[in-house]
Amino acid sequence: LYDPADQTAQWILDERWGDLAWRTADWLMLTFVVFHAFMGMRTVLGDYTKGGLRIALTMVLYLVAFVLFALGTVAVLSLHSPVG
């Protein structure tokens, strides 16, 4: 049907990232994924660690989740819309 050698990702720029609704959907998906992963890891840390180690690892987890969320948000916001 389609030759992979002829495929490009131009449609992503033109149709997906050029639309504010799709950018919002991508940002919401990022938010849900980071939150879901954070909550799962927080539960695992709570189950398998105690005391000061639990507190330290949880704080590291909070920091990593915030950094990933911030970097993802910057990436979604800084995508260049095609000039059309």
Side-chain angles (χ1 to χ4, degrees):
L1 297 171
Y2 296 104
D3 184 9
D6 296 332
Q7 298 293 318
T8 65
Q10 188 62 36
W11 71 272
I12 295 173
L13 286 174
D14 295 340
E15 297 175 19
R16 180 112 181 189
W17 289 342
D19 186 13
L20 183 61
W22 276 113
R23 282 191 189 206
T24 303
D26 288 342
W27 183 80
L28 285 172
M29 183 63 73
L30 167 76
T31 302
F32 294 144
V33 166
V34 170
F35 181 74
H36 179 76
F38 168 77
M39 293 303 286
M41 285 302 299
R42 193 181 72 144
T43 301
V44 170
L45 284 176
D47 287 347
Y48 290 104
T49 59
K50 294 182 189 179
L53 180 62
R54 177 186 291 178
I55 294 170
L57 289 176
T58 303
M59 290 300 115
V60 169
L61 184 62
Y62 275 107
L63 179 64
V64 168
F66 178 76
V67 168
L68 286 175
F69 177 73
L71 288 174
T73 299
V74 168
V76 170
L77 291 177
S78 65
L79 295 171
H80 297 291
S81 295
V83 178

